[in-house]
Amino acid sequence: MLRTGWALLALVASPAAARPPEALACALQAAPAGLDARLADVIVSRDTARGRPVLDELRVLTDRCAADQFLSESQRNAYFTYVLGRMGRDALDARLGAAGVSSALIDQALDIGPGNANNPAEKVTEGDLRLVADALKDAGHDPAKVTSDGWALITAWIVATANMFDGLRDLD
């Protein structure tokens, strides 16, 4: 009986191999209004120095959720990366639509997004933009008509997606 009790305690005390959706959603649900848009601004600008206050705000939020989930230090960092990418994608989707670019088209062209290959962030290349341009052309949209701001949004979407899935891979 005593041996069984210790085995059960060990199971309860150790984190699950896969995070339940509620655990992943903690920071998304607890985030103050507008944080996703401010994070998207940082991703689009690629200026982490200027975006430091927003990134620090996200760190506090994700650390709070990570503590509630008993995440290790490396898992906390992975959770931060996941939430940064996820919130960035959430905010960037509407911006891409307003620019006349479908986020689904980007996902399909690059085999990224939920249910796809999702190469690690270090494998994101300039060639990815060529693939998106070809997909736009195949969909009947002239890639030359996409503004520089539109291409910045596309690049940000790719980066946010890579961050989101890198975080998920590294979380457990």
Side-chain angles (χ1 to χ4, degrees), residues 141-166:
H141 303 288
D142 182 358
K145 291 187 178 179
V146 176
T147 66
S148 60
D149 288 343
W151 285 109
L153 291 172
I154 291 168
T155 301
W157 178 265
I158 295 167
V159 169
T161 302
N163 280 333
M164 184 173 97
F165 284 99
D166 281 358

Side-chain angles (χ1 to χ4, degrees), residues 35 38-39 41-43 45-60 80 84:
L35 180 59
R38 291 183 287 134
L39 288 168
D41 292 342
V42 173
I43 296 168
S45 75
R46 296 187 237 174
D47 187 349
T48 55
R50 209 173 82 212
R52 180 59 44 209
V54 177
L55 295 171
D56 289 347
E57 182 179 354
L58 179 64
R59 176 59 74 178
V60 168
F80 173 86
L84 173 62

Side-chain angles (χ1 to χ4, degrees), residues 19-161:
R19 300 282 160 209
E22 308 82 50
L24 293 174
C26 173
L28 303 171
Q29 294 170 345
L35 180 59
D36 56 348
R38 291 183 287 134
L39 288 168
D41 292 342
V42 173
I43 296 168
V44 170
S45 75
R46 296 187 237 174
D47 187 349
T48 55
R50 209 173 82 212
R52 180 59 44 209
V54 177
L55 295 171
D56 289 347
E57 182 179 354
L58 179 64
R59 176 59 74 178
V60 168
L61 178 66
T62 58
D63 279 353
R64 197 174 309 130
C65 288
D68 289 345
Q69 298 297 321
F70 304 105
L71 299 182
S72 68
E73 187 64 32
S74 66
Q75 289 172 321
R76 284 175 185 244
N77 291 330
Y79 185 61
F80 173 86
T81 300
Y82 164 76
V83 174
L84 173 62
R86 171 66 192 277
M87 290 182 81
R89 271 179 60 100
D90 289 350
L92 289 165
D93 188 42
R95 293 181 191 183
L96 282 165
V101 177
S102 164
S103 59
L105 180 135
I106 301 167
D107 285 355
Q108 184 178 17
L110 301 178
D111 198 22
I112 59 174
N116 295 323
N118 297 301
N119 286 329
E122 67 269 6
K123 292 191 178 182
V124 173
T125 68
E126 288 297 322
D128 291 339
L129 296 179
R130 170 56 44 207
L131 292 172
V132 172
D134 291 344
L136 284 166
K137 187 175 179 182
D138 291 346
H141 303 288
D142 182 358
K145 291 187 178 179
V146 176
T147 66
S148 60
D149 288 343
W151 285 109
L153 291 172
I154 291 168
T155 301
W157 178 265
I158 295 167
V159 169
T161 302

